[in-house]
Amino acid sequence: MGSQRSPNLMIDSSRYPRLARIQTPDDLRTFDESELGAVAAELRAYLIESVGKSGGHFAAGLGVIELTVALHYLYQTPVDQLVWDVGHQTYPHKILTGRRDEIHTVKQKDGVAPFPKREESEFDTFGVGHSSTSISAALGMAIARQMEGDERKVVAVIGDGAMTAGMAFEALMHAGGMEPEPNLLVILNDNNMSISEAVGGLTKVLGRATGSRTLNALREGGKKILGDKKNNPARFVKRWEEHWKGMFVPSTMFEEMGFHYTGPIDGHDMPALLSTLKTLRASKGPKLLHVMTTKGKGYEPAEGDQIGYHAVGPFDPDKGLVAKGGVKKPTYTDVFSDWLCDAAAAEPRLCGITPAMREGSGLVRFSREYPQRYFDVAIAEQHAVTLAAGMATQGGKPVVAIYSTFLQRAYDQLVHDVAIQDLDVLFAIDRAGVVGPDGATHAGNLDLSFLRCVPNMVVMAPADEAECRQMLSTGLQHPGPAAVRYPRGSGTGVAAGTDLSTLPLGKAQVRVEGRRVALLAFGSTVPAAEAVGRALGLTVVNMRFIKPLDRDLLLSLAERHEAFVTVEDNVVAGGAGSGVAELLSASAVLRPVVHLGLPDAFQHHASREDLLAEAGIDAAGIRAALLARWPDLAGDADTLSAAG
């Protein structure tokens, strides 16, 4: 990436005299410890400036500036291994590890990845994007090193939001009970946030750690009154404080798991961080350091609106985020949000469930209007799905609002707990298909393949906003498991409507009657396919249902057309098009089928438009594929336009 550097994007050494000297952590280690506070201040200012230009994950990085500097200063990275959970917080890490002058390209095509990525840098030890994997990965690294007799250190940094997932506790339990003990440091970065507010019992436990005003006031007041630590009253209070702390601090929980617990300490206090980490670096076995930080630290608007500043578009740091004027087309998430409230008004048994994605999945309004029927289960996708299954056994109508990429984490529960028992659960799957700038970890490119093969499932994909609403109502009314998958971002501009009408199960819609070739389009690919079909005089079908497919229509089309072309924003392997080919084969119908969809590869981060074009499923790509297979269609189109 260094070759892409242009002089005008080089760092301003007059404004950032220390940061300008840091290309790698080796450069950072040349500074005196007393200067690290100033390095952190420059890094914070540079991060605010660069994300202001590019957009990207923001508040989380500001919260770990001091921690990032301290870790790279004290540990010999990349020899020592740092594993960051999720990776929202790693822009400061990327700036200190050779990507300072490219950080403004984050999330852009051929730019810096928004999450740690092994192929991007040797300092990115483990590729992440989904939460709660860091302790498992770091433990695996520590075990592998110890087996080789390698003394290098391994550190996992995990947030309190990510700590709510079962996987984190599975790893803690394993690490704490091992013989020989693994040499592992887990840093719990506690800012009382995930992407939404952190929820659940663990949050309450962690909150007690430093949230007790009484404890803090007594401690501070005691220091003033008692002065010298060596006198008897002071010693008594210190002992009493330790007992008191035991009631409030989660040390007991982690100690019981087999970890040596330290903390909580102020994660913005550089001297405290450095001295504590030095002590921990020298000690063996599994250790947990609990640091308290503020998400958005050092940038007042972000501290005041941690959710709003979690991920941002480009903005002016002096003005903060400014609401964009003009009327924007509703997103599919907005359509779901409105539908959920309307459906809840008509159906008292409806409950909405989200794994810590209230804002992203469009549940804000529902959570306010129906607080008793709203369940945020924290980062616990598996639990979310089985919770819904439990509700459904008692006549409930649960709706699980979840991103396609996160549903992957609960696949066993979808199969085992919902589908096998044929339970009445509706999956509202957001960010399906091409997602774009967040890269492969957040792509929703597999869901049609992994849902289609599950017995009892009904799977739908809308072509526009109105259809999205109808499909959600159809799924809610259907007595078994159903899924509606819809894309990120704005819809087509079609009014969604306000009613709760349904669609006939498994029936497609012929959009254009043409000849020779039938274009079978699924979900968000319909508008592009329709435009191409009209131009070339072909039949275009909005398939609507991936499962069950409209068998009668497909067999009827096969009689009148010489070939089919399927178009979907899902991988071709095992996707909706595969279902069409299977149906035709089972019905002994021999027709050529061309499958257009996403590649058998993990797409990199780029805009949604770029990725659709690369995959050949935008209008230009669909047209090119048709003419490559049937060049004479171009002549047919000329005849049509001349006749028109």
Side-chain angles (χ1 to χ4, degrees):
M1 260 188 222
S3 59
Q4 296 176 359
R5 235 176 250 153
S6 59
N8 65 330
L9 295 170
M10 293 291 281
I11 189 165
D12 182 346
S13 58
S14 64
R15 292 172 58 210
Y16 304 107
R18 295 167 185 88
L19 196 59
R21 290 163 46 198
I22 302 171
Q23 279 290 354
T24 70
D26 282 339
D27 303 324
L28 171 67
R29 296 178 201 124
T30 63
F31 285 85
D32 188 83
E33 206 169 285
S34 61
E35 288 191 86
L36 293 184
V39 169
E42 288 184 25
L43 179 54
R44 180 168 275 114
Y46 186 71
L47 182 68
I48 293 168
E49 183 188 359
S50 55
V51 177
K53 286 177 185 156
S54 64
H57 296 112
F58 185 54
L62 288 172
V64 296
I65 295 276
E66 289 80 8
L67 181 63
T68 306
V69 170
L71 286 169
H72 279 296
Y73 186 78
L74 292 175
Y75 287 87
Q76 294 301 306
T77 55
V79 176
D80 292 332
Q81 311 263 290
L82 283 186
V83 185
W84 299 91
D85 209 282
V86 187
H88 292 136
Q89 75 283 50
T90 50
Y91 294 11
H93 156 83
K94 294 197 175 209
I95 292 167
L96 294 177
T97 54
R99 291 160 280 186
R100 182 192 68 203
D101 297 338
E102 284 85 42
I103 197 70
H104 68 279
T105 67
V106 72
K107 289 193 166 194
Q108 296 164 25
K109 190 178 180 183
D110 301 325
V112 173
F115 302 101
K117 197 172 180 180
R118 278 168 56 83
E119 52 267 49
E120 187 175 280
S121 168
E122 63 180 337
F123 292 93
D124 293 3
T125 60
F126 197 75
V128 292
H130 288 190
S131 123
S132 319
T133 60
S134 59
I135 306 173
S136 300
L139 178 60
M141 292 174 183
I143 292 170
R145 289 289 161 211
Q146 279 171 256
M147 287 172 77
E148 298 289 320
D150 190 328
E151 290 292 303
R152 73 179 71 183
K153 309 285 194 287
V154 184
V155 181
V157 183
I158 184 167
D160 55 308
M163 195 67 100
T164 59
M167 188 174 171
F169 282 88
E170 291 168 26
L172 287 169
M173 296 284 195
H174 181 201
M178 279 181 67
E179 286 294 338
E181 290 187 324
N183 192 10
L184 171 70
L185 171 61
V186 175
I187 297 177
L188 172 58
N189 173 34
D190 188 354
N191 59 25
N192 197 32
M193 289 295 289
S194 51
I195 296 174
S196 302
E197 288 107 336
V199 296
L202 178 70
T203 304
K204 289 177 183 166
V205 171
L206 296 180
R208 287 184 201 135
T210 54
S212 168
R213 288 189 187 153
T214 316
L215 175 59
N216 287 331
L218 283 165
R219 181 187 295 152
E220 294 309 311
K223 283 177 189 167
K224 288 179 188 138
I225 296 164
L226 299 163
D228 186 5
K229 284 184 189 163
K230 293 179 181 148
N231 67 32
N232 278 336
R235 280 209 306 272
F236 167 77
V237 169
K238 183 71 189 146
R239 269 204 315 275
W240 174 82
E241 186 189 331
E242 290 306 313
H243 289 295
W244 176 276
K245 244 172 75 179
M247 296 160 57
F248 284 90
V249 176
S251 55
T252 314
M253 178 172 71
F254 294 117
E255 294 276 357
E256 291 289 339
M257 288 181 182
F259 275 72
H260 174 71
Y261 174 91
T262 305
I265 66 167
D266 180 354
H268 303 297
D269 181 341
M270 187 68 82
L273 273 175
L274 290 166
S275 70
T276 308
L277 284 168
K278 279 178 194 169
T279 305
L280 291 168
R281 189 181 59 178
S283 63
K284 300 279 188 195
K287 305 167 290 283
L288 187 136
L289 170 62
H290 186 173
V291 301
M292 308 296 296
T293 60
T294 301
K295 195 169 178 177
K297 178 73 175 177
Y299 185 65
E300 202 171 322
E303 287 190 37
D305 180 12
Q306 296 175 347
I307 297 171
Y309 280 86
H310 169 73
V312 295
F315 69 100
D316 180 345
D318 293 332
K319 295 177 183 165
L321 295 179
V322 179
K324 293 184 179 120
V327 180
K328 65 175 185 73
K329 288 190 289 194
T331 63
Y332 281 98
T333 309
D334 295 333
V335 172
F336 167 72
S337 176
D338 290 341
W339 170 83
L340 189 64
C341 292
D342 295 346
E347 172 53 86
R349 296 173 299 162
L350 182 151
C351 291
I353 300 170
T354 174
M357 293 299 290
R358 180 184 62 187
E359 285 76 18
S361 293
L363 287 154
V364 174
R365 187 181 143 207
F366 180 81
S367 70
R368 288 174 186 151
E369 293 184 12
Y370 298 97
Q372 299 306 310
R373 294 152 67 180
Y374 165 72
F375 299 91
D376 182 342
V377 301
I379 301 173
E381 292 87 357
Q382 297 170 317
H383 167 58
V385 173
T386 305
L387 176 75
M391 287 179 177
T393 66
Q394 305 305 306
K397 302 283 282 185
V399 179
V400 179
I402 193 165
Y403 287 13
S404 172
T405 183
F406 299 140
L407 181 58
Q408 293 165 189
R409 311 186 84 180
Y411 189 55
D412 178 58
Q413 288 68 28
L414 181 144
V415 173
H416 186 273
D417 300 333
V418 176
I420 287 178
Q421 306 186 86
D422 200 18
L423 289 172
D424 190 359
V425 177
L426 173 61
F427 296 91
I429 305 172
D430 204 331
R431 285 19 178 218
V434 168
V435 174
D438 280 341
T441 56
H442 283 55
N445 56 333
L446 308 175
D447 55 40
L448 295 187
S449 303
F450 70 66
L451 290 171
R452 191 177 75 77
C453 62
V454 179
N456 293 332
M457 283 297 300
V458 169
V459 185
M460 301 168 265
D464 58 45
E465 298 90 318
E467 206 162 79
C468 184
R469 193 174 165 102
Q470 288 173 308
M471 285 180 177
L472 288 162
S473 293
T474 305
L476 189 68
Q477 296 304 324
H478 176 68
V484 181
R485 58 96 74 172
Y486 43 90
R488 177 183 186 175
S490 301
T492 59
V494 170
T498 56
D499 66 6
L500 297 171
S501 60
T502 59
L503 294 170
L505 209 63
K507 294 297 173 193
Q509 174 200 37
V510 177
R511 287 275 180 110
V512 184
E513 287 281 7
R515 52 205 184 85
R516 293 191 59 190
V517 176
L519 275 176
L520 310 178
F522 294 84
S524 65
T525 66
V526 170
E530 187 172 349
V532 174
R534 287 190 187 280
L536 298 177
L538 313 175
T539 295
V540 182
V541 183
N542 168 21
M543 290 299 293
R544 288 181 168 166
F545 289 83
I546 295 86
K547 185 173 188 173
L549 287 165
D550 192 340
R551 183 173 183 273
D552 293 345
L553 178 65
L554 289 173
L555 296 180
S556 159
L557 290 169
E559 290 173 4
R560 313 193 302 276
H561 295 79
E562 62 189 69
F564 288 106
V565 176
T566 64
V567 192
E568 62 192 296
D569 57 343
N570 186 87
V571 293
V572 169
S578 298
V580 171
E582 290 160 16
L583 186 150
L584 294 172
S585 173
S587 305
V589 173
L590 297 176
R591 290 284 180 278
V593 184
V594 174
H595 298 297
L596 304 180
L598 299 179
D600 186 22
F602 291 109
Q603 289 186 296
H604 49 82
H605 54 280
S607 72
R608 204 164 170 272
E609 292 69 31
D610 280 338
L611 294 177
L612 288 168
E614 276 180 33
I617 53 175
D618 61 349
I622 297 168
R623 182 184 174 93
L626 282 160
L627 296 181
R629 183 68 176 261
W630 298 283
D632 55 328
L633 286 177
D636 290 357
D638 294 339
T639 310
L640 279 170
S641 55

